[in-house]
Amino acid sequence: MISLRKLSSFIGPRIKHRAGLIAMLPVMLLAGCKTVVMNPSGDVAAQQADLILVSTALMLLIIVPVIFLTLFFAWKYRQSNTAAEYDPEWDHSTKLELVIWGAPLLIIIVLGLVTWVSTHKLDPYRPLERIDASRPLAADHKPLEIQVVAMDWKWLFIYPEQGIATVNELVTPVDRPVRFKITASTVMNSFFIPALAGQIYAMPSMETTLNAVINKPGEYEGFSANYSGAGFSHMRFKYYGMNEGDFEQWVDNTRKASKTLDRVVYTELEKPSIKEPVQKFGNVSKDLFHAIVNRCVAEGTVCMDAQMMADSLRNGTSLKAEELAILINNAMCTVTPNGVNASNKALPIIQSSKNDDHDDSLSN
């Protein structure tokens, strides 16, 4: 029969070994995490990471002492410690009250100041003032403009200056400021590239803006950070930071693509799809992004900005009906009436009546 001592010597080391593995499990799991948010490649994201560290450090100034004192008091005034001072009549200490209330108040004030300054400094709509911490931007610099459309369930990127577009692939040059103009085709989404900058919402019929810059060449992940339906988990794209020469070559290669992104193609592309492959368009119809934002991609529909301006002028202007009709017709988009070929002359949004006894009306 095996003695208890031999059995203990046999099982003991194995239990200790397994206990060590269990203790190391959290560390092993964390080792697989990507810390791109705290170690980004873009200056805006780097400033946001610094803000997280500063805010955490300020909060730890009160959290760590509270935890330490809680454990210390529990140990010092334990039941077995008869040497500990016992004063059942004690109820107040001015010095202690000053510390308890003064320290958190000072931390909140400093944290509020840091947050206020950083919130305005890192406003996504605010043009960039620097490439990184050591390189300021010239006042007359021109950022690269990219128009972003969140679709079901894919991303469309339009480069208006280059006249090209891509689906699920984004490329920008390193150390060049980029201004993203962002919208959505149907439901609300969130445009997020952790290595570049913080997330910003993409909403239909609205345009949001994000200014950012990438400082290191490489391949990064972009995705939607807001649930938007069945294909949400696959709503991802590759983001590439390239040097200026490689970026220009990529633009030239994209221009060679035979496909053109016009309103008809966009209407088909807008239909829901999952795991959409990368597509490239060598040409893009002018003002397509404006039509997407104002929900007038389909022929014969009134753009929202035109409709709102027409309503505003009609309700508040002192112009005569004929003058108003001419102003709207010349300044805003036109609408193709039903049954009329789009190539024919379109009618104005607001038509003046030939008869003074009739009110002006909106064309349908």
Side-chain angles (χ1 to χ4, degrees):
M1 181 178 292
I2 301 176
S3 65
L4 291 177
R5 181 176 296 179
K6 291 183 178 180
L7 184 62
S8 175
S9 63
F10 177 78
I11 297 177
R14 287 162 176 76
I15 294 177
K16 293 179 180 179
H17 178 68
R18 292 185 179 181
L21 290 177
I22 294 174
M24 289 295 294
L25 183 60
V27 178
M28 295 168 65
L29 292 174
L30 289 174
C33 296
K34 295 182 179 179
T35 58
V36 62
V37 173
M38 301 307 299
N39 187 30
S41 300
D43 183 61
V44 174
Q47 294 181 70
Q48 293 172 337
D50 292 341
L51 177 60
I52 293 174
L53 292 175
V54 171
S55 301
T56 303
L58 287 172
M59 289 183 286
L60 287 176
L61 288 178
I62 193 65
I63 293 174
V64 171
V66 167
I67 294 176
F68 171 77
L69 290 174
T70 300
L71 298 175
F72 173 75
F73 289 147
W75 173 80
K76 181 176 180 180
Y77 296 102
R78 66 193 184 276
Q79 184 179 7
S80 60
N81 186 12
T82 56
E85 182 181 356
Y86 176 67
D87 186 3
E89 302 300 326
W90 181 89
D91 65 351
H92 179 73
S93 171
T94 302
K95 294 180 180 180
L96 187 59
E97 291 287 343
L98 288 175
V99 172
I100 290 175
W101 292 103
L105 181 61
L106 290 175
I107 292 174
I108 291 172
I109 292 173
V110 174
L111 186 61
L113 289 173
V114 171
T115 303
W116 187 87
V117 172
S118 299
T119 299
H120 288 81
K121 185 178 180 181
L122 298 175
D123 182 356
Y125 286 80
R126 181 175 180 172
L128 299 182
E129 298 177 350
R130 69 183 202 183
I131 297 175
D132 55 33
S134 59
R135 291 179 292 174
L137 275 170
D140 58 346
H141 76 277
K142 185 179 180 181
L144 171 67
E145 181 180 321
I146 300 178
Q147 298 164 344
V148 183
V149 182
M151 311 172 77
D152 295 335
W153 287 274
K154 49 194 168 285
W155 293 93
L156 172 65
F157 303 101
I158 301 174
Y159 296 72
E161 298 175 8
Q162 289 74 22
I164 59 175
T166 60
V167 174
N168 286 342
E169 182 178 84
L170 175 64
V171 179
T172 66
V174 172
D175 292 339
R176 181 175 174 183
V178 182
R179 180 167 298 156
F180 296 98
K181 294 186 176 181
I182 306 166
T183 190
S185 60
T186 54
V187 300
M188 180 175 173
N189 263 291
S190 177
F191 178 71
F192 189 25
I193 305 175
L196 181 68
Q199 66 90 21
I200 186 167
Y201 287 111
M203 295 168 281
S205 306
M206 297 182 67
E207 179 185 311
T208 52
T209 302
L210 173 64
N211 288 280
V213 60
I214 195 72
N215 300 120
K216 298 177 183 178
E219 178 182 319
Y220 307 99
E221 292 290 331
F223 53 89
S224 171
N226 189 78
Y227 181 75
S228 58
F232 159 75
S233 59
H234 300 290
M235 196 171 172
R236 296 174 173 269
F237 62 91
K238 291 294 183 181
Y239 169 50
Y240 300 93
M242 299 181 177
N243 60 50
E244 196 70 40
D246 292 339
F247 173 73
E248 292 299 332
Q249 184 178 359
W250 176 83
V251 171
D252 292 339
N253 293 335
T254 304
R255 282 176 177 156
K256 295 176 183 178
S258 58
K259 294 190 293 185
T260 297
L261 183 61
D262 54 21
R263 294 178 181 234
V264 176
V265 174
Y266 174 82
T267 303
E268 290 296 317
L269 184 64
E270 190 181 26
K271 295 178 180 178
S273 62
I274 299 177
K275 293 184 178 181
E276 187 74 20
V278 173
Q279 297 186 49
K280 297 183 179 181
F281 300 91
N283 294 284
V284 181
S285 294
K286 186 179 179 181
D287 296 331
L288 177 60
F289 185 74
H290 171 270
I292 296 171
V293 174
N294 289 281
R295 308 187 72 79
C296 54
V297 175
E299 291 292 342
T301 55
V302 183
C303 291
M304 289 180 57
D305 57 350
Q307 184 69 67
M308 288 185 289
M309 181 177 181
D311 291 343
S312 176
L313 290 175
R314 183 181 63 178
N315 296 328
T317 185
S318 60
L319 295 175
K320 295 180 180 179
E322 288 76 10
E323 295 173 334
L324 178 58
I326 294 173
L327 176 63
I328 298 298
N329 190 37
N330 291 339
M332 306 303 295
C333 64
T334 56
V335 183
T336 305
N338 294 332
V340 179
N341 189 284
S343 61
N344 295 337
K345 185 176 180 180
L347 298 179
I349 294 175
I350 295 182
Q351 295 178 305
S352 61
S353 174
K354 297 291 185 180
N355 191 334
D356 293 337
D357 296 334
H358 295 80
D359 295 331
D360 298 321
S361 60
L362 286 175
S363 300
N364 293 322

